[in-house]
Amino acid sequence: MRLHYRTFLSLVAIACATATLQAQPPAPDLVLSNGKIITVDERFTIAQAVAIKANRIVAVGTNQEIAQLAGANTRRIDLMGRAVIPGLIDNHMHLLRAATTWTRELRFDGVQSRKQAVELLRARAKVVGPGEWVYNIGGWTHQQFADDPKPFTREELDQIAPNNPVSLQESYFQVFLNSRALQALGIEANAPDPPEFVKGSIMRDTSGRPTGVIRGDIPATRPVAAKLPKVAPEQLEASSRALLEDMNRAGLTSVGVPGCNADVLEIFQKWKAQGQLNVRIFCIDGAAGANPEQVDRALGQIPRIKLFQGDSSIDNIFFGESVYGPLHDPMFATKSDPTSDQLQQWRRMAMEIAKAGLPLHVHAELHDTIDAFLDQIEAINKEHPIKSLRWTLAHVNQINASQLERMKNLGMYAAVHPWAVINGAIMHDEFGDGAYDMPPLSTIQKSGIQWGLGTDGTAANQYLPFTTLQFAVTGQMVGGATVNRQTIGREDALIAHTRKNAYLVFQENNLGSIQPGKLADLVVLDRDYLTVPADQIRNIKPVMTMVGGRIVYDASVGGVKNEQR
Ligand SMILES: [Zn+2]
């Protein structure tokens, strides 16, 4: 059966290649052959070879077909049987914000052993020297340490790094501090909490001594994160570069970015002009109203917003990710109760956004919030149709089938960010069995809505796409516990992380699949995503990542490449 399928696809590929030959195109610059090219085109075609000219794919087919296209100056890469997938796209990651701390952070994304985490902490303390902060801001959970899944204690962190303030933030759920960090934050035994901390968020033992744990959603963790040193302005470029290298190493080539900080964006614009921007950036931006007065002001500004002034390297594509601040669901809330006053302000904003013809990508998480937003959007749609604007609800871990149906009827999209990848254990504590359907991936897939996968990293979630893909296919969070029963097939999961996401960032003509005419963004893998045991998907490592025909990551030369073209 499988052979038959492949033979058919080869015939299709030959027909295409023949057509290309008749047009007598100039020889490609680069040919990748002898691989398993998982094209993720509409038929999910598997091919053997790809030809690239300048920054685009010019042909996809069998080894023989593509070999015929090569000329004397064509560079050839033997894939040695390796699997190749389209460059992975995360439709929602706070990437530019991450640049402001990246090289100062000790990230735990993908660290599967506690022993290793402790070694990393010791090594970092040594490198930065006494008195300097050792910290991270989210993206991990202690449940990911399969060897010893337990939280860090103040005493342990004191022992690991006695001379450094240490702050380790688990998602937005809690922060582990050592004694030096407590001191630096002004948190003391038998003294009142510093005023910037949320009441009750500083954990203390019965004697009033702070345990080192700060707990309670974004407002509780924020005062700690706010005190942590960002990279110095003169280091911002190096930090941004390290960040993009880590993205390429993970197989990411494009990111939808809520909140594109001007200082980091300027650096990316410079690299773009130099032909060295190694991740495509699609900004989701615009100021939400925080109160009715701010809404008044925003209504005057929205008509002047101009999106799509960029290109397939950097562009502004959405208003978002917040419309009205008071209706921005917190991460660990279990229920919401949007008031009619709040919804009225939300509608004033969203109506103006629709009137201005702007795409909208909005944070929508809790069941009642999603219902309330859809009520408003249905009303807005009658006055200013949104059908062609790709209005998107983001996160949607609590969405259900009837809400998906309403969205489909409105021509809306779903940007799905399974927070359970790291928060699965917390969500099971909060929601019980209901957490097994958060997000309801198979319901979303079956609904037929246009949807894509992302993370909401780098604080709310980890950023590694193969960890997200393993979750989608197995329901396993980091560390391996099964926390979701709504799994989907590998092909659908990959489609949602590539071709469907290309649609969610308005780049379906350029990105998302390995097809002639599309930009040459692709990833060569160390093992085959389609056949590796499902519980090892997260261990797949890119060996080469290409963006626009440039090799931006090459494991064989020790990682990073900055090819000039
Ligand atoms: Zn959000």
Side-chain angles (χ1 to χ4, degrees), residues 5 61 75 83 107 130 192 201 216 225 259 271 275 283 291 319 389 400 424 435 448 476 482 522-523 546-547:
Y5 179 58
R75 182 179 166 201
R107 297 292 303 186
S201 65
W271 291 345
C283 299
N291 53 50
F319 189 98
L389 300 179
N400 64 24
Q476 291 169 350
T482 299
L522 50 84
V523 190
M546 186 179 286
V547 174

Side-chain angles (χ1 to χ4, degrees), residues 353-521:
I353 292 165
K355 192 174 159 196
L358 301 175
L360 171 67
H361 178 114
V362 62
H363 176 110
E365 170 62 13
L366 296 167
H367 177 269
D368 293 342
T369 303
I370 295 173
D371 263 347
F373 286 3
L374 290 175
D375 291 345
Q376 301 307 317
I377 295 170
E378 281 163 355
I380 291 166
N381 187 54
K382 290 193 178 115
E383 289 188 48
H384 300 288
I386 60 151
K387 202 119 204 165
S388 58
L389 300 179
R390 302 192 193 183
W391 278 24
T392 302
L393 297 188
H395 313 324
V396 298
N397 288 285
Q398 283 203 9
I399 204 161
N400 64 24
S402 69
Q403 291 168 335
L404 287 159
E405 198 54 37
R406 292 173 74 184
M407 287 172 68
K408 260 177 68 186
N409 292 336
L410 286 159
M412 291 183 69
Y413 301 88
V416 182
H417 313 130
W419 291 339
V421 171
I422 63 169
N423 289 345
I426 303 163
M427 287 162 66
H428 274 263
D429 282 347
E430 284 196 345
F431 296 99
D433 270 5
Y436 279 115
D437 301 305
M438 293 173 58
L441 283 183
S442 54
T443 305
I444 294 168
Q445 176 66 26
K446 279 187 217 128
S447 77
I449 198 170
Q450 188 86 268
W451 74 281
L453 274 171
T455 59
D456 196 19
T458 57
N461 207 345
Q462 65 88 43
Y463 71 86
L464 301 168
F466 287 104
T467 302
T468 309
L469 288 167
Q470 180 168 326
F471 171 88
V473 171
T474 65
Q476 291 169 350
M477 65 177 288
V478 290
T482 299
V483 293
N484 192 296
R485 61 186 157 212
Q486 291 231 11
T487 56
I488 57 174
R490 291 180 200 223
E491 296 188 2
D492 288 334
L494 185 59
I495 291 166
H497 226 316
T498 53
R499 177 155 46 82
K500 292 293 177 69
N501 270 348
Y503 210 91
L504 264 69
V505 296
F506 290 86
Q507 289 289 323
E508 66 272 21
N509 294 326
N510 289 315
L511 303 175
S513 59
I514 301 175
Q515 287 180 270
K518 288 206 174 177
L519 289 163
D521 290 14

